[in-house]
Each structure stands twice: as C-alpha cells, then as structure tokens.
Amino acid sequence: MTTVDTTAVDPGALEGRGLQAVLVDMDGTLVDTEQYWWQAEASLFAELGHPLDDTHRAHVVGGPMTRVIDYLLGVTGLQLSPAELTVRINERFVELLDGGAPLMPGAAELLALLAEHRIPAALVSASHRRIIDLVLKNLGDHPFAFSVAGDEVARTKPHPDPYLAAVARFGAQPARCVVIEDAPLGVEAGEAAGCPVIAVPSVAPIAAAAGRTVLRSLTELDLDLLRAVVAARV
C-alpha cells in the first residue's frame, strides 16, 4: 500500500469542531482515467464482437467493477465469466495507463492545498489495489496518508463502506470529513457515510442537493469552501 509519513499530519486537525479530513475519489476526480476505463472496455468488447457506443458509457462511469461487469455482460450477452472479464478489462486498462494519466483540472492545486495546510487526506476508490498503486506511483509525491481500494472492502461504492473505513482509520467523524467525487455512485456512497460531499461531475451530471456542493471543476475548490461545507453540518 502506498502511504506517506502520517507524522506530517497536523494533530490539531482532528481536534475541535472543524474540518478533520478530506477523502478524494480517484478516477475522474483526481486523475483523468475515466477515458482509459472506457477505452479499455470499448476496445475489448469490439474485439470480442460486441461493439459498445456512448449510450453505454453513462452506465459504467464511476461504478465498481462488479457492477460494470454485470451491466456489460447483461447488455451484450457475452459468454465470458465475470472473473475472466474483470481480469481482461484490468489488463487492458493497465496497458493504456502505462505512461500515467493526466491530472484533472485543479487536481494539482488540490494536492498542494492539502499538503500546505497539512490536512489529513485519503484516496478512496472503487478501483482495485493494483490500479491505485499504479496511479499513485505515476503521481509521485502526494499528501495521502493512505488509500482504500474497492477490492479491500466487503461492499464498495455506492455503499458507504469505503468512506466509513477511511473515516474510522483517521479516528474522525463523518460529518467533519469532506468527500470529493465526480460520479453519482460515489456521491451516493459519500452521502450514505454521512459526509458532506463536493461533487465535480466528469461524465454523468450530478444535481445539487442538501449537504452536497456541485462545482464545475476542482479549480473552484479552496480551503474556505472545505471548511464551510463542514461548518454547515456540525
């Protein structure tokens, strides 16, 4: 597991009534990998004789692999086991990601903000550990104390388990941990965990709602907003 030195985390950040931690989704939120997932799925299914089009894309974006696999097998009727298809999609994705994925707009500034203010942060993704470690390796320096992978929890997004696991590991309170997500299923997971959510839609639209802030990009995110969404909840 890729980690950073947690002694660099400001111990005072977990005290008081303010912001305790920031929990960041990976695909489509931090790094522009959604295009790679779609390319992996579309190219593989085309080779197998089942071309996909953009009408399918909204159904797979931001989803856990199990849900994506169930959907794709259901709509195509491909005679392949879920386990084998999972392996083949992941392998194709790793090939496409070999040179690294570009950061989403504002992501570099977000990472710098978290590091500068020593805000406890975790990467929480529905992707498997192998994929997360590859992305973090290509990312280089980062402020994440730890990461939570989709294959490390009993139920991944849209269930709250990944975010609850991260909150518990910090010894924090859900209402004081801000979730940053790009996909509806991830937003659902963060809200089910009891966290304030900042949504930055990448492919599928996300409507504003109580306890949820919707931005056009991470470039609109700053420390004042992170603190404000927590202050509105506690």
Side-chain angles (χ1 to χ4, degrees):
M1 179 179 296
T2 303
T3 61
V4 296
D5 181 6
T6 54
T7 60
V9 172
D10 181 1
L14 297 182
E15 300 173 358
R17 293 179 54 82
L19 174 68
Q20 286 184 311
V22 174
L23 313 177
V24 186
D25 172 57
M26 187 177 76
D27 299 296
T29 300
L30 184 69
V31 289
D32 190 9
T33 51
E34 293 294 3
Q35 59 176 318
Y36 293 92
W37 282 116
W38 175 243
Q39 288 175 26
E41 293 151 1
S43 64
L44 180 59
F45 271 80
E47 291 174 8
L48 295 172
H50 297 275
L52 303 174
D53 58 46
D54 283 345
T55 60
H56 301 297
R57 189 172 184 179
H59 293 280
V60 299
V61 63
M65 184 59 73
T66 52
R67 175 183 171 277
V68 171
I69 295 299
D70 287 346
Y71 172 79
L72 292 175
L73 290 177
V75 297
T76 64
L78 179 66
Q79 296 300 304
L80 203 64
S81 73
E84 183 178 353
L85 183 56
T86 297
V87 169
R88 294 182 68 169
I89 289 177
N90 274 291
E91 287 178 346
R92 180 65 56 88
F93 177 80
V94 169
E95 292 173 4
L96 293 170
L97 195 64
D98 185 46
L103 289 172
M104 296 296 290
E109 291 79 1
L110 171 61
L111 296 177
L113 175 73
L114 296 173
E116 177 185 356
H117 295 280
R118 303 173 70 186
I119 300 171
L123 191 66
V124 182
S125 176
S127 290
H128 290 187
R129 169 54 53 195
R130 176 189 180 193
I131 303 300
I132 291 178
D133 286 347
L134 176 61
V135 169
L136 288 176
K137 177 182 177 181
N138 290 332
L139 191 61
D141 292 337
H142 61 80
F144 300 116
F146 58 86
S147 55
V148 178
D151 56 343
E152 295 174 339
V153 290
R155 303 180 305 171
T156 189
K157 304 173 187 179
H159 299 287
D161 303 36
Y163 285 116
L164 289 175
V167 169
R169 188 162 175 180
F170 276 128
Q173 302 168 24
R176 295 173 60 191
C177 296
V178 178
V179 165
I180 303 177
E181 274 279 357
D182 77 299
L185 291 180
V187 169
E188 183 179 341
E191 292 176 345
C195 301
V197 174
I198 294 177
V200 188
S202 62
V203 177
I206 299 172
R212 177 193 310 167
T213 301
V214 180
L215 306 179
R216 288 170 295 183
S217 84
L218 290 174
T219 59
E220 300 178 347
L221 182 61
D222 57 23
L223 183 59
D224 287 341
L225 179 57
L226 289 173
R227 289 171 170 166
V229 297
V230 169
R233 295 286 297 274
V234 297

